[in-house]
């Protein structure tokens, strides 16, 4: 149960990033990623998840810009 609780916020941030359709939504998602990293850095969240958030945001940004 502990693992599910720790991964759930990460999955919510990923879902938010993937749902972005505009540049302003991506800017909000970027702030959300930074807040996530700041909050969970103090409790020792794995850096791999932080990297994954950055990469997902980058890919969504590229996808969104190409569609505009």
């Amino acid at each position: 149960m502990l693992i599910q609780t720790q991964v759930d916020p990460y999955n919510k941030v990923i879902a938010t990033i993937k749902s972005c359709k505009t540049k302003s939504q991506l800017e909000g998602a970027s702030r959300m990623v930074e807040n996530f990293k700041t909050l969970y850095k103090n409790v020792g969240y794995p850096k791999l998840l932080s990297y994954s958030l950055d990469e997902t945001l980058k890919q969504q940004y590229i996808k969104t810009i190409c569609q505009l």
Side-chain angles (χ1 to χ4, degrees):
M1 188 64 175
L2 181 62
I3 293 173
Q4 177 63 28
T5 303
Q6 290 179 345
V7 177
D8 192 44
Y10 168 80
N11 288 333
K12 288 180 180 182
V13 175
I14 291 289
T16 300
I17 293 169
K18 290 183 177 182
S19 70
C20 292
K21 303 290 185 212
T22 66
K23 187 175 178 182
S24 63
Q25 289 175 338
L26 284 167
E27 289 169 358
S30 177
R31 286 190 301 273
M32 189 176 191
V33 167
E34 291 306 315
N35 289 339
F36 178 89
K37 289 195 278 186
T38 301
L39 179 65
Y40 285 97
K41 178 181 176 183
N42 296 332
V43 295
Y45 222 67
K47 289 186 180 188
L48 177 63
L49 295 181
S50 177
Y51 174 77
S52 175
L53 288 172
D54 289 335
E55 284 300 308
T56 303
L57 185 62
K58 179 176 143 186
Q59 292 301 319
Q60 188 65 27
Y61 182 78
I62 291 168
K63 182 180 173 182
T64 301
I65 295 301
C66 289
Q67 290 177 352
L68 296 177

